[in-house]
């Protein structure tokens, strides 16, 4: 939303203010940067582009901003990138803030470029991003039971061999209504070790307004969504995810002046693993991403109208091997907490064994799209009664505790295990609208390592390392490497009756990179973070955090607020 705000603010200022007298050579300078002149060799053109960028930065002409943004974002290995970054700070146009923030936070960037980006942001007075509004509190009141002819179970999506919860001859639950009977067999095949599914949708802001005094219509939207699914089996594992984000705005004041801006980002990826022995596997991955940008500023003077559209696409594949496996243990931790709750309430008839745990998780998976939690609660009570685990009718405190355990998001995404992989990857960049970015293939060596440990029911520790190095580069082409490592400890805080209050986390990170340039040294950054997360329901939360980073002897302090709202978050873990 911040990027959209700056784009619209720049468009408004350009539409409302009279056109300033601009240097006559600005269009020529932009053309020289975008296109190599005929008869000029590449080394000479590179020097001409740098000189043109300096002149654009010193021109004071806002028409130079899009070109300098493009150079700052794309030129990570040429001095023209520094020239563009400094120029954006001097021109004072806040539409450059998102690009400058991206550069300042990118540990793979040259230290000089990151420092220049931070100085340019200080000149622009970039404000903090406002947090998205928290979602409304969920309505926990159970709905009235549906009539028998409409009590139809959710379809079996093929995750296993078992049947879905069956209607309508159910068992009377603790509320006195008839609910679906528990599954007759496990929902998941015996070789399924873990499975998860997640759907998240977030709206940073959306508004539509009409100003009758100035006869002006305005609209803006910032929305994103992501879907992910993963399944681990004894011999194989695979997963896929996809996401999209749309940022758009429209301003139509009285008269011919109007502005439009649209940014669309989409990405998708997946991987497949085949295990050849205890922990040893081969891996194949593929990712694809694309972006569409369009900005239009129409003014009274047709010669002063600005329109630009850009597209970009990235494709990457990798193959390799590794050792280990990291599995989401969260669903099984939920079962353990359920057992502890019943034992504390003197309602536990016998321990919950592995078979019963699988049956409970099967029912939870079948009812994962139940936003009220009523079907999950009813199915859980029915299964526990049938197995002789739940003794008698649960009292109010135990019933409330059951609801909280089933809705508790602290048991989602709790990884455990060790995983190390080595991959050979190839990326292909398509930048037809951005001549400054070289197209074609890039070969890489990729190394990743993850170690995660669940420290009981309420704490976890996770560490991750990733490194990449370019190989098979042509003579004279930089072959930079990058290494990053981070570690996080998180503790979940619950109230007296099991309600999740939030989570406290502490993390550290280390990044090092070298872009193979003669005029730069090794860049190293060390940082830490501490934050608190307020949780509203499963997959929905707001986090406030403080960050500190020591980079090249300079200390940086910051704060951030992030939020998300989820529609679906479910998992299964056999052990």
């Amino acid at each position: 939303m911040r990027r959209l705000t700056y784009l619209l603010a720049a468009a408004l200022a350009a539409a409302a203010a009279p056109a300033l007298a601009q240097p006559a050579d600005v269009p020529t300078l932009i053309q020289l940067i975008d296109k190599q002149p005929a008869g000029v060799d590449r080394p000479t053109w590179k020097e001409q582009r740098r000189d043109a960028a300096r002149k654009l930065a010193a021109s004071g002409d806002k028409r130079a901003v899009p070109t300098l943004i493009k150079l700052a974002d794309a030129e990570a290995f040429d001095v023209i990138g520094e020239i563009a970054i400094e120029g954006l700070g001097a021109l004072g146009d806040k539409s450059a803030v998102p690009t400058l923030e991206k550069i300042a936070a990118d540990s793979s960037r040259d230290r000089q470029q990151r420092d220049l980006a931070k100085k340019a942001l200080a000149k622009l007075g970039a404000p903090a991003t406002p947090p998205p509004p928290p979602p409304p509190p969920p309505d926990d009141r159970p709905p009235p039971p549906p009539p028998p002819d409409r009590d139809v179970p959710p379809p079996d999506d093929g995750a296993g061999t078992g049947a879905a919860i069956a209607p309508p001859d159910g068992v009377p639950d603790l509320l006195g209504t008839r609910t679906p009977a528990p599954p007759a067999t496990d929902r998941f095949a015996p070789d399924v070790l873990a499975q998860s599914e997640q759907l998240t949708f977030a709206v940073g802001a959306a508004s539509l307004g009409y100003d009758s005094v100035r006869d002006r219509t305005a609209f803006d939207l910032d929305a994103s969504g992501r879907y992910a699914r993963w399944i681990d089996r004894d011999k194989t594992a695979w997963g896929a995810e996809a996401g999209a984000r749309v940022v758009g705005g429209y301003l139509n004041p009285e008269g011919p002046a109007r502005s439009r801006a649209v940014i669309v980002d989409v990405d998708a990826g997946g991987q497949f693993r085949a295990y050849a022995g205890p922990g040893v596997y081969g891996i194949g991955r593929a990712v694809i991403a694309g972006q569409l940008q369009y900005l239009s500023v129409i003014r009274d003077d047709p010669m002063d109208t600005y329109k630009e559209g850009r597209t970009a696409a990235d494709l990457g594949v990798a193959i390799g091997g590794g050792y280990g496996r990291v599995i989401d243990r969260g669903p099984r931790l939920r079962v353990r907490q359920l057992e502890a709750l019943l034992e504390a309430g003197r309602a536990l008839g016998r321990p919950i064994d592995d078979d019963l745990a699988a049956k409970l998780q099967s029912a939870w998976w079948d009812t994962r799209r139940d936003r009220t939690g009523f079907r999950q609660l009813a199915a859980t009570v029915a299964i526990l009664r049938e197995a002789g685990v739940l003794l008698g009718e649960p009292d109010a405190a135990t019933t409330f505790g059951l609801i909280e355990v089933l809705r508790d998001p602290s048991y989602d995404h709790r990884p455990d295990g060790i995983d190390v992989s080595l991959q050979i990857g190839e990326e292909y960049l398509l930048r037809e609208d951005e001549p400054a970015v070289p197209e074609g293939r890039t070969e890489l060596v990729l190394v990743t390592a993850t170690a995660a440990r669940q420290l009981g029911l309420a704490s976890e520790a996770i560490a991750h390392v990733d490194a990449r190095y370019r190989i098979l580069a042509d003579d004279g082409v930089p072959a930079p490497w990058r290494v990053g490592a981070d570690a996080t400890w998180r503790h979940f805080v619950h109230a007296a009756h099991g309600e999740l209050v939030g989570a406290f986390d502490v993390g550290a990170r280390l990044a090092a990179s070298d872009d193979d340039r003669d005029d730069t040294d090794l860049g190293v950054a060390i940082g830490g973070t501490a934050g608190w997360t307020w949780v509203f329901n499963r997959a929905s939360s707001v986090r406030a955090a403080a960050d500190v980073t020591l980079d090249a002897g300079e200390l940086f302090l910051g704060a951030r607020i992030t939020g998300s709202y989820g529609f679906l978050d479910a998992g299964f873990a056999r052990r």
Side-chain angles (χ1 to χ4, degrees):
M1 183 59 205
R2 174 173 49 196
R3 186 173 182 181
L4 171 63
T5 302
Y6 299 147
L7 288 172
L8 293 179
L12 276 171
L20 301 176
Q22 305 294 349
D25 62 343
V26 167
T28 303
L29 294 173
I30 294 176
Q31 183 178 8
L32 175 61
I33 289 175
D34 289 342
K35 185 176 181 181
Q36 181 176 349
V40 177
D41 58 26
R42 187 169 183 83
T44 302
W45 178 51
K46 291 180 67 174
E47 290 298 326
Q48 292 177 348
R49 292 178 79 239
R50 295 166 183 166
D51 184 63
R54 293 188 185 97
K55 293 178 180 179
L56 286 178
S59 69
D61 192 330
K62 294 299 179 67
R63 291 181 295 174
V65 171
T67 297
L68 293 180
I69 288 177
K70 175 182 64 179
L71 292 175
D73 185 53
E75 294 290 351
F77 305 111
D78 193 290
V79 71
I80 196 173
E82 284 91 348
I83 297 170
I85 294 171
E86 287 186 301
L88 291 173
L91 289 175
D93 193 320
K94 289 193 174 183
S95 65
V97 168
T99 298
L100 293 173
E101 288 180 334
K102 173 184 174 183
I103 295 171
D106 188 354
S107 59
S108 67
R109 283 272 187 163
D110 174 62
R111 185 177 64 242
Q112 176 69 13
Q113 290 197 359
R114 299 199 305 270
D115 292 343
L116 289 174
K118 293 168 186 175
K119 294 177 182 178
L121 286 169
K123 291 181 180 180
L124 296 177
T129 304
D139 183 2
D140 293 333
R141 295 173 300 177
D149 59 345
R150 297 185 62 186
D151 189 6
V152 180
D156 189 331
D157 60 3
T161 59
I165 297 177
D169 297 327
V171 181
D173 69 1
L174 71 166
L175 301 174
T177 59
R178 299 186 68 81
T179 58
T185 59
D186 285 355
R187 177 76 159 76
F188 295 88
D191 68 334
V192 175
L193 303 179
Q195 184 164 328
S196 63
E197 185 177 24
Q198 182 180 16
L199 174 63
T200 304
F201 178 73
V203 177
S207 65
L208 172 65
Y210 174 72
D211 187 337
S212 61
V213 177
R214 290 179 288 182
D215 190 19
R216 183 177 68 179
T217 303
F219 169 75
D220 62 79
L221 171 69
D222 182 356
S224 63
R226 178 159 294 275
Y227 175 81
R229 184 158 184 168
W230 181 264
I231 179 170
D232 270 289
R233 297 179 180 269
D234 286 335
K235 299 297 184 181
T236 61
W238 66 269
E241 64 177 323
R245 183 182 182 189
V246 178
V247 179
Y250 174 76
L251 182 65
N252 186 22
E254 184 179 9
R258 61 183 183 273
S259 305
R260 297 189 182 99
V262 177
I263 301 173
V264 180
D265 290 296
V266 295
D267 66 272
Q271 65 170 282
F272 178 83
R273 297 183 177 191
Y275 286 83
V280 179
Y281 64 84
I283 183 175
R285 297 193 305 120
V287 295
I288 186 171
Q291 184 180 75
L292 168 66
Q293 298 185 25
Y294 176 77
L295 176 63
S296 171
V297 179
I298 300 177
R299 301 171 177 167
D300 294 342
D301 183 3
M303 300 299 295
D304 207 19
T305 295
Y306 175 80
K307 289 185 178 181
E308 183 179 33
R310 298 203 179 266
T311 59
D314 299 338
L315 175 65
V317 295
I319 59 173
Y323 175 82
R325 192 195 298 253
V326 175
I327 289 181
D328 181 8
R329 304 291 187 187
R332 194 55 188 263
L333 294 177
R334 195 185 303 275
V335 174
R336 286 176 53 190
Q337 179 59 31
L338 183 67
E339 184 178 38
L341 169 72
L342 296 178
E343 185 175 13
R346 300 181 181 273
L348 184 66
R350 67 174 182 86
I352 300 178
D353 56 25
D354 291 343
D355 292 337
L356 184 57
K359 183 173 290 189
L360 283 168
Q361 294 178 75
S362 298
W364 297 343
W365 183 274
D366 279 332
T367 57
R368 64 192 183 278
R369 293 179 175 86
D370 176 19
R371 300 297 297 170
T372 67
F374 172 73
R375 289 176 59 86
Q376 283 193 340
L377 175 62
T380 300
V381 170
I383 293 173
L384 294 176
R385 281 178 173 171
E386 182 184 33
V389 172
L390 179 60
L391 297 178
E393 189 74 19
D395 58 20
T398 303
T399 302
F400 180 80
L402 287 171
I403 295 174
E404 290 302 314
V405 170
L406 296 177
R407 297 193 313 170
D408 193 336
S410 70
Y411 301 116
D412 293 321
H413 311 295
R414 299 283 295 270
D416 190 83
I418 296 176
D419 183 271
V420 181
S421 70
L422 172 65
Q423 304 166 45
I424 304 296
E426 183 169 301
E427 297 177 342
Y428 187 85
L429 306 182
L430 180 61
R431 297 291 191 276
E432 294 181 357
D433 297 323
E434 297 187 24
V437 180
E439 293 187 320
R441 300 183 304 177
T442 301
E443 290 76 20
L444 305 167
V445 174
L446 308 171
V447 178
T448 63
T450 300
R453 180 71 181 270
Q454 293 304 313
L455 308 175
L457 295 174
S459 300
E460 65 181 2
I462 304 172
H464 182 72
V465 177
D466 68 89
R468 58 188 293 162
Y469 178 72
R470 182 174 181 178
I471 59 174
L472 305 180
D474 297 332
D475 293 338
V477 177
W481 58 263
R482 182 184 68 190
V483 177
D486 61 83
T488 302
W489 173 82
R490 182 178 292 105
H491 179 72
F492 300 96
V493 178
H494 293 79
H497 300 289
E499 313 96 312
L500 178 64
V501 179
F504 175 71
D505 64 88
V506 178
R509 57 185 178 274
L510 171 67
S513 64
D514 179 14
D515 60 9
D516 285 355
R517 293 176 55 191
D518 295 335
D519 57 346
T520 60
D521 299 323
L522 173 68
V524 178
I526 302 174
T529 182
W532 173 263
T533 302
W534 291 272
V535 179
F536 303 102
N537 56 35
R538 294 186 68 176
S540 304
S541 61
V542 170
R543 178 177 181 266
D547 297 284
V548 58
T549 301
L550 182 63
D551 190 350
E554 297 186 15
L555 185 65
F556 302 93
L557 302 175
R560 70 178 68 185
I561 298 180
T562 56
S564 65
Y565 185 78
F567 285 100
L568 174 65
D569 210 323
F572 171 86
R574 190 168 296 277
R575 296 194 295 268

